[in-house]
Amino acid sequence: MPKLVNSLPHATFAAKKYPHLQHIQLADPDYNISNKIDILLDAKIYAEIIMSGLIKGTKQQPIAQQTRLGWILSGPVTTFNSHVLINGVEDIANYWEVEEIASETTPMTQQELFCEELYTKTTKRLPDGRYEVRLPMKTDFEEHLGHSKARAVAKFKQLQSRLMKDSTLRQSYGQFIHEYIDLGHMRKCTEQKEPMCYLSHHGVQKLDSLTTKLRVVFNASSKTSTGNSLNDLMESGPKLQQDIQSLLLRWRTYRYVYSADCEKMYRCILDPEQ
């Protein structure tokens, strides 16, 4: 490789005379002077040259490790920063691809653009303040959506059996169904129109919850007779949440951060002394 990294460290700094390092021979006595890299060693070679000697100083002082090439320094220090700048090393690109931060401005695919245009054209607000949103179904989804009534009825009978054994669950489930009707979230189906998909549902209890002790889940991932579910035949649209990598990196730039989930304040410990 013609060039691996720029000079290391990035800039020359004044070396500090640490008492615990005065009697040893460093592998690089001029470690504080910015210079080019002489040789790149594989991790296997490092395992062969490492020795048992280890010298530690106080906090914020480097640790000296003995090797067959001399003593090397490592550890947290506040005296200087060494920045490795990588340039033109396509041959070892796989080493940093894992660390690459995804761009937040990635162009949308045709399917994602379809979802955006669909929501823009069809979403409307009703007189009662609620929003009406059209499902982003895939092209020719009718041909791939199979029959689902038999499986949904079987699941409903299982649910009935469970409700008959638990009066508390039965009462909570009934309240949920009536609330859904009162809010206008569902109504009785009076016409048979194809294609039609029957969604099974079940309840998830969390008795220690301070708000909702019962959550009813509608299973749109249940397969129909063709092997496709309702979810399979809908476009997913663009990702709305932020990239986790960029979110975590931005999190670390602040001393105090808030988490909306648990309503607690967390402090990012960036100072090694704390």
Side-chain angles (χ1 to χ4, degrees):
M1 290 177 286
K3 186 177 182 181
L4 176 62
V5 297
N6 285 342
S7 297
L8 195 69
H10 185 55
T12 299
F13 58 92
K16 210 169 184 179
K17 293 186 178 181
Y18 296 104
H20 67 297
L21 304 179
Q22 298 306 307
H23 64 286
I24 62 176
Q25 179 64 42
L26 296 177
D28 182 13
D30 299 324
Y31 65 90
N32 61 309
I33 299 177
S34 179
N35 210 334
K36 65 179 182 179
I37 299 298
D38 297 313
I39 187 172
L40 178 65
L41 299 178
D42 185 84
K44 178 181 177 182
I45 304 299
Y46 176 78
E48 293 177 357
I49 66 173
I50 199 73
M51 300 177 69
S52 59
L54 188 67
I55 303 177
K56 294 183 178 181
T58 59
K59 287 185 177 180
Q60 301 306 305
Q61 290 186 349
I63 298 173
Q65 173 70 58
Q66 188 182 21
T67 73
R68 299 186 185 277
L69 303 179
W71 294 77
I72 59 176
L73 302 179
S74 63
V77 292
T78 57
T79 305
F80 65 94
N81 293 313
S82 296
H83 303 283
V84 177
L85 303 179
I86 303 176
N87 292 293
V89 281
E90 293 81 3
D91 294 336
I92 57 171
N94 290 335
Y95 283 95
W96 68 78
E97 282 182 353
V98 177
E99 303 298 332
E100 184 178 355
I101 304 302
S103 173
E104 294 187 4
T105 58
T106 304
M108 288 191 291
T109 63
Q110 290 297 325
Q111 292 77 12
E112 293 172 344
L113 288 173
F114 165 75
C115 292
E116 288 291 300
E117 294 176 0
L118 178 71
Y119 286 130
T120 301
K121 294 179 180 179
T122 63
T123 301
K124 59 183 179 180
R125 190 172 185 179
L126 303 178
D128 59 1
R130 294 183 300 169
Y131 287 92
E132 183 178 271
V133 182
R134 185 175 177 181
L135 296 179
M137 305 303 299
K138 294 182 178 180
T139 305
D140 300 330
F141 73 93
E142 299 94 337
E143 301 176 4
H144 305 284
L145 184 65
H147 301 290
S148 55
K149 184 176 181 179
R151 178 172 295 187
V153 171
K155 291 288 185 181
F156 180 70
K157 290 182 177 180
Q158 293 179 6
L159 175 63
Q160 276 187 319
S161 177
R162 180 185 173 192
L163 295 179
M164 293 304 296
K165 298 176 182 178
D166 190 335
S167 59
T168 302
L169 177 61
R170 183 171 65 252
Q171 182 179 3
S172 300
Y173 217 101
Q175 291 176 350
F176 169 83
I177 295 298
H178 286 295
E179 181 182 1
Y180 242 49
I181 296 175
D182 295 338
L183 293 175
H185 295 337
M186 69 178 182
R187 63 178 182 272
K188 186 176 181 179
C189 182
T190 57
E191 58 181 342
Q192 298 290 327
K193 185 183 297 185
E194 296 296 336
M196 181 173 291
C197 184
Y198 294 83
L199 294 182
S200 59
H201 51 87
H202 62 276
V204 178
Q205 282 184 300
K206 192 174 182 181
L207 300 179
D208 57 346
S209 174
L210 299 178
T211 54
T212 305
K213 299 183 182 299
L214 172 68
R215 180 169 58 91
V216 176
V217 179
F218 292 87
N219 187 12
S221 296
S222 179
K223 302 296 183 181
T224 64
S225 59
T226 60
N228 296 312
S229 68
L230 187 64
N231 282 346
D232 294 333
L233 300 177
M234 286 194 295
E235 301 288 1
S236 58
K239 183 175 65 174
L240 301 180
Q241 65 270 28
Q242 299 182 36
D243 180 74
I244 187 64
Q245 289 180 313
S246 59
L247 184 64
L248 290 176
L249 289 178
R250 189 164 65 252
W251 178 293
R252 290 180 58 82
T253 62
Y254 296 94
R255 189 176 185 86
Y256 297 96
V257 294
Y258 288 88
S259 173
D261 292 335
C262 55
E263 299 179 354
K264 291 182 179 179
M265 182 175 66
Y266 292 90
R267 181 179 181 184
C268 290
I269 305 300
L270 302 180
D271 189 346
E273 292 185 349
Q274 299 187 19

